[in-house]
Amino acid sequence: MADNTYRILTKIAETGSLTRTAEQLNYTQARVSQILKSAEKEFGLTLFVRGKRGVMPTPECRCLLPNLGAIIRFCSVM
């Protein structure tokens, strides 16, 4: 999984919205949704719960987020 996927997942958690994430990262909402679906399949976990007001990270996702941030920081210095 590319560090770009990790950036997208952390941005989704930050914004609480696939649409806002797409806008801020210059993607389409469909592409962000596709990346999320692929990440959930790869992790074997549901990462976000979708609702009327956007998305909320699951408890499993909240456990992963600090590690994703560490990977992003590590990849930035390389």
Side-chain angles (χ1 to χ4, degrees):
M1 192 176 301
D3 69 310
N4 193 46
T5 298
Y6 300 151
R7 290 179 199 283
I8 291 168
L9 294 175
T10 56
K11 184 58 80 171
I12 293 169
E14 179 186 311
T15 65
S17 167
L18 300 183
T19 301
R20 278 195 301 267
T21 295
E23 290 168 354
Q24 291 180 14
L25 297 179
N26 224 12
Y27 283 90
T28 64
Q29 187 275 335
R31 180 68 179 132
V32 169
S33 183
Q34 181 183 39
I35 290 168
L36 173 57
K37 188 179 221 179
S38 176
E40 288 180 327
K41 184 176 180 180
E42 189 167 334
F43 280 122
L45 300 168
T46 299
L47 298 173
F48 293 91
V49 178
R50 291 122 176 112
K52 291 180 183 179
R53 295 184 180 191
V55 295
M56 294 283 298
T58 62
E60 295 84 2
C61 182
R62 285 193 295 274
C63 288
L64 285 173
L65 286 170
N67 297 311
L68 298 180
I71 292 168
I72 292 165
R73 286 187 299 280
F74 177 77
C75 291
S76 294
V77 297
M78 294 194 78

